[in-house]
Each structure stands twice: as C-alpha cells, then as structure tokens.
C-alpha cells in the first residue's frame, strides 16, 4: 500500500530531515502532501516546490507524475505538473531534484 511518513518534516526549519512517500512497485496509487500556512497569505512571485531525493532510477521516472498547486482561501491559484514545472533540476552531484515554480 502507498504510504507517507514524517510529514511534519515538510514544514519545519530543519533542512536535514525529510518526509517519505512510498509507492510499492506494481501498485497503482498516489501519495499526496498538503502544506498549509494559515497565518500568512503570500503574494505572487514566490518559488514553491520540493526537494526530492529518489531512492532508485525507477523513482526518477515518478517525477514526471508530480503536480504542485497553490491555493488562497480554498481557491486554486496556480497548478503545474510534469513538464510545466519550471524548477525541475538536478542538484550537482547529489542525485536530488528541485521541483516547483514561481507563483503568479
């Protein structure tokens, strides 16, 4: 079964911890993360996204199935997926990817 763990790590200030999404090979499913800031309404022009560290070459292919959305007061503001994620890049020598976009 698909699962997520350590999800509180998505929004803390510690850059040395992480959340984990697990989708077993051959299982149809998805893992969704929702990050909400109820204290601040952010203006456009901000980069939003995730740093992703695939655990195998197969998981790199999963990056093509990602989507990132922003909402303001429950109303969809931006939605990007797959090739439209402008910030997809491989970080030098780490095998990690940064996936995201600049908001409108």
């Amino acid at each position: 079964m698909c699962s997520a763990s350590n999800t509180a790590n998505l929004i803390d200030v510690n850059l040395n911890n992480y959340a984990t999404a697990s989708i077993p090979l051959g299982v149809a499913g998805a893992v969704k993360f929702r990050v909400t800031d109820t204290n601040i309404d952010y203006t456009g022009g901000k980069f939003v996204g995730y740093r992703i560290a695939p655990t195998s070459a197969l998981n790199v292919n999963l990056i093509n199935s990602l989507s990132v959305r922003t909402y303001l007061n429950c109303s969809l503001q931006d939605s990007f997926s797959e090739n439209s994620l402008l910030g997809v890049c491989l970080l030098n020598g780490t095998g990690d990817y940064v996936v995201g976009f600049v908001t409108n």
Side-chain angles (χ1 to χ4, degrees):
M1 292 268 161
C2 302
S3 64
S5 59
N6 301 316
T7 56
N9 295 345
L10 285 170
I11 59 171
D12 69 9
V13 297
N14 185 345
L15 298 178
N16 296 311
N17 64 19
Y18 52 90
T20 302
S22 300
I23 303 172
L25 186 62
V27 172
V31 176
K32 297 180 181 182
F33 291 110
R34 179 179 179 163
V35 178
T36 305
D37 187 339
T38 58
N39 297 316
I40 299 172
D41 289 341
Y42 295 92
T43 59
K46 304 282 192 263
F47 181 83
V48 296
Y50 296 97
R51 179 176 177 174
I52 300 172
T55 57
S56 71
L58 177 63
N59 288 341
V60 171
N61 293 328
L62 294 177
I63 289 174
N64 292 328
S65 66
L66 293 175
S67 64
V68 179
R69 298 181 185 105
T70 64
Y71 292 85
L72 178 61
N73 298 322
C74 299
S75 177
L76 180 65
Q77 300 297 302
D78 299 292
S79 180
F80 292 88
S81 60
E82 298 176 14
N83 295 330
S84 65
L85 287 167
L86 303 175
V88 176
C89 65
L90 180 62
L91 296 176
N92 290 341
T94 65
D96 294 357
Y97 291 82
V98 174
V99 179
F101 61 91
V102 177
T103 61
N104 293 318

